[in-house]
Amino acid sequence: MATTQSREAQVVDAVPKQLFVGGEWRDAAEGGTLGVEDPATGETLCDVADAQVGDAVAALDAAVETQAEWGSHAPRERGEILRRAFEMLSARADDLALLMTLEMGKPVAESKAEITYAAEFLRWFSEEAVRIAGRYQVNQTGQGRVLTMKQPVGPCIFITPWNFPMAMGTRKIAPAVAAGCTMVIKPAKQTPLSMLALAGILEEAGLPGGVLNVITASSSGSVMEPLIRDPRARKLSFTGSTEVGRKLMEQASEQVLRVSMELGGNAPFLIFEDADLDAAVQGAMLAKMRNVGEACTAANRFHVASSVADEFASRLAERMGALKLGRGTDDGVEVGPLIDADQRAKVAELVEDAVGKGARTVVGGNAPDGSGYFYEPTVLADVSDGARLLKEEIFGPVAPVKGFSSEEEAIHWANDTEYGLVAYVYTRDLGRAFRVAEALETGMVGLNQGIVSNGAAPFGGVKHSGFGREGGPEGIEEYLETKYVAMSL
Ligand code: NAP
């Protein structure tokens, strides 16, 4: 036990706790600090610098000063820095996973899976850095020529959430580095340590000072707004709630900033009567329980053909009820705590509302006594149309199940939301698979699989889930401008 504790202390101690500005680690100018809590115990792990506006402006100054030089850096060198960072992240995955679990709560195995996912963006974009190309075209008349070139957008502002503290960072940083952009990034105040560790790794991998600047702050709104309104910034990429995203878009409109928004979700999980039910239960476990349901891609509601709805609910309940809750650092733990007391209270309120409107609790439905923000994995059956959790993002381990009687009805329910990030579909009928995939109003579809996240694929949503794509060949386009040169020979 003593060894375990000292290893936890070691991984926390190893992380720089200061702001990273212009290649230097420094305290906040006013000397403030902000505590980082372990959500499984409620205890403070350590303190990190608490930036004020002046610190954030200094970070943007550094990004702006470095932009021209970094933008003309050899693409191969940019790629090699990312590749080295990929190797380092992979080699240190055990320590980084423990660090993430300490600040965020998810079981270590899940944190490790996130490190692998996060590292893949570094590898993928290390390969994309040398594939940035324009085109040369003889125009319609045969007289002139069309030449296009791709250039870095310029200094970027990034804001990331606490639920995937490392991957939401590398998904923005890696394509920006590959494209030749500089940046200021602000992680969520609950989980700054993973980002600070990543900055240390990128520094060690040879990223020149000023390319990546990290600001940690307790007052995110007042610290970031002046940067978003600063005419020297060229791009804002935000991952977080739709509510905050909307506010940031308003601020970004002042300088007509290029914007990418990765916002909230309310993913439907459709199971047709011809589906392989074993596979559907397995996929449902992934889509629901990854990150304790605190994922924008989490299946928020299960729409199941009425003929198999009860069987699905009881089989899912059996699997969910057998999961072991506990501190993410303990052996065998499969479900960690939620991020904080507010989040747990919101989950409990949504369950209470659904049960009050007639839903049947098949398993779970309680917040266990004791420390930490735990909530039992819960399956609710016969959920009525008016239940709030069909409309609102649950962000917790709760699976509402509702029957449908036809393909049209399933599609109607799936699209009956302002969100449009991802939908999951289980069917063995190929024609239906394509029909439904085409009809769904989402940016992504998981067909007979409960997970879509993949470094090689374009991640992103439609409707209130945002716009822009991260990952895949599309991911780097977010950081490139196309310049057209009209040529007369
Ligand atoms: P959030 O409250 O919107 O916070 C996200 C980030 O924005 C944090 O860094 C937060 O900083 C910052 N922030 C909050 N208010 C701000 C303001 N007025 N100005 C500037 N920055 C501000 O969301 P969250 O609760 O952390 O994350 C959960 C949400 O993220 C969910 O809705 C989830 O669906 C969404 N999400 C979407 C994706 C996707 O790719 N589509 C991925 C992951 C999560 P502080 O925490 O320091 O206040």
Side-chain angles (χ1 to χ4, degrees):
M1 190 64 193
T3 322
T4 314
Q5 274 174 346
S6 68
R7 187 164 164 249
E8 289 176 11
Q10 274 169 15
V11 298
V12 173
D13 282 352
V15 182
K17 314 287 186 311
Q18 294 166 296
L19 310 176
F20 188 49
V21 176
E24 288 183 358
W25 294 95
R26 58 193 231 191
D27 290 332
E30 291 179 19
T33 58
L34 123 86
V36 184
E37 186 181 284
D38 176 345
T41 61
E43 284 167 17
T44 301
L45 290 167
C46 64
D47 293 306
V48 299
D50 189 3
Q52 304 300 316
V53 174
D55 300 305
V57 172
L60 183 62
D61 291 345
V64 170
E65 276 161 27
T66 317
Q67 179 57 59
E69 194 188 329
W70 179 242
S72 57
H73 224 79
R76 177 65 78 197
E77 283 177 34
R78 298 200 299 255
E80 279 169 358
I81 292 166
L82 289 173
R83 178 72 201 198
R84 281 196 292 276
F86 161 74
E87 305 286 355
M88 288 179 190
L89 217 70
S90 306
R92 298 176 200 175
D94 287 337
D95 283 356
L96 292 168
L98 178 57
L99 180 73
M100 187 184 293
T101 292
L102 289 172
E103 67 174 343
M104 192 274 166
K106 70 178 99 175
V108 169
E110 277 203 65
S111 295
K112 203 163 168 187
E114 181 181 338
I115 300 294
T116 304
Y117 176 49
E120 183 54 28
F121 291 106
L122 298 169
R123 176 161 62 178
W124 177 269
F125 289 106
S126 76
E127 293 154 355
E128 290 295 281
V130 291
R131 317 244 182 275
I132 299 166
R135 70 189 158 95
Y136 179 84
Q137 182 188 343
V138 178
N139 78 7
Q140 309 89 312
T141 63
Q143 301 302 308
R145 301 289 182 267
V146 172
L147 177 74
T148 68
M149 56 181 84
K150 298 276 185 174
Q151 296 179 310
V153 165
C156 301
I157 299 168
F158 296 154
I159 300 176
T160 55
W162 48 263
N163 62 346
F164 292 97
M166 184 73 86
M168 297 303 95
T170 57
R171 217 161 69 165
K172 300 185 194 302
I173 293 169
V177 165
C181 296
T182 60
M183 64 213 81
V184 177
I185 185 161
K186 191 209 73 67
K189 60 174 165 289
Q190 289 104 325
T191 57
L193 301 179
S194 296
M195 188 67 73
L196 291 167
L198 175 66
I201 285 173
L202 282 159
E203 182 187 22
E204 226 181 302
L207 191 70
V211 175
L212 169 71
N213 302 277
V214 182
I215 289 295
T216 50
S218 58
S219 309
S220 44
S222 59
V223 168
M224 297 311 283
E225 185 170 353
L227 299 201
I228 297 170
R229 295 189 189 276
D230 191 308
R232 298 172 300 163
R234 289 286 178 274
K235 160 108 195 172
L236 167 68
S237 179
F238 171 73
T239 300
S241 61
T242 299
E243 187 190 351
V244 173
R246 207 177 265 126
K247 213 183 280 177
L248 300 186
M249 275 192 277
E250 265 177 47
Q251 295 171 12
S253 69
E254 186 171 316
Q255 297 296 336
V256 195
L257 212 52
R258 233 180 111 163
V259 175
S260 302
M261 288 281 149
E262 297 285 352
L263 306 177
N266 176 0
F269 193 110
L270 309 182
I271 303 171
F272 290 92
E273 65 276 9
D274 61 68
D276 174 342
L277 216 53
D278 290 335
V281 171
Q282 182 58 25
M285 289 298 291
L286 276 175
K288 183 69 253 181
M289 292 309 296
R290 182 176 176 226
N291 237 36
V292 204
E294 291 174 321
C296 52
T297 50
N300 209 58
R301 50 209 165 91
F302 292 82
H303 297 284
V304 186
S306 297
S307 55
V308 290
D310 280 347
E311 188 186 347
F312 171 76
S314 66
R315 286 173 65 174
L316 183 64
E318 200 178 311
R319 292 281 303 273
M320 300 254 292
L323 293 171
K324 185 176 168 197
L325 264 71
R327 190 166 184 237
T329 48
D330 294 348
D331 281 347
V333 165
E334 294 160 298
V335 183
L338 294 170
I339 190 71
D340 55 28
D342 287 352
Q343 187 54 35
R344 181 167 71 167
K346 185 189 159 199
V347 171
E349 189 183 306
L350 289 175
V351 170
E352 226 170 88
D353 169 79
V355 172
K357 289 171 181 159
R360 178 167 53 87
T361 307
V362 190
V363 76
N366 295 300
D369 293 334
S371 64
Y373 311 116
F374 293 94
Y375 196 86
E376 290 172 354
T378 298
V379 177
L380 302 176
D382 307 325
V383 176
S384 72
D385 293 353
R388 278 173 54 200
L389 45 50
L390 296 179
K391 294 279 182 198
E392 296 177 33
E393 198 176 23
I394 302 170
F395 244 51
V398 177
V401 179
K402 187 172 155 38
F404 65 76
S405 55
S406 68
E407 189 178 306
E408 292 68 33
E409 196 180 279
I411 292 168
H412 167 78
W413 285 119
N415 289 337
D416 187 31
T417 167
E418 69 267 28
Y419 292 106
L421 190 60
V422 61
Y424 304 90
V425 181
Y426 275 75
T427 176
R428 282 185 279 208
D429 178 331
L430 192 59
R432 168 176 278 159
F434 278 96
R435 256 192 330 270
V436 176
E438 285 183 12
L440 288 167
E441 297 169 356
T442 56
M444 302 177 284
V445 175
L447 187 54
N448 293 322
Q449 63 181 64
I451 199 157
V452 294
S453 302
N454 176 349
F459 188 104
V462 300
K463 294 161 76 179
H464 290 199
S465 292
F467 46 83
R469 293 294 180 267
E470 292 188 325
E474 292 84 354
I476 199 165
E477 291 299 326
E478 302 280 322
Y479 299 97
L480 293 169
E481 288 291 2
T482 302
K483 184 182 281 175
Y484 151 53
V485 181
M487 290 175 61
S488 192
L489 298 186

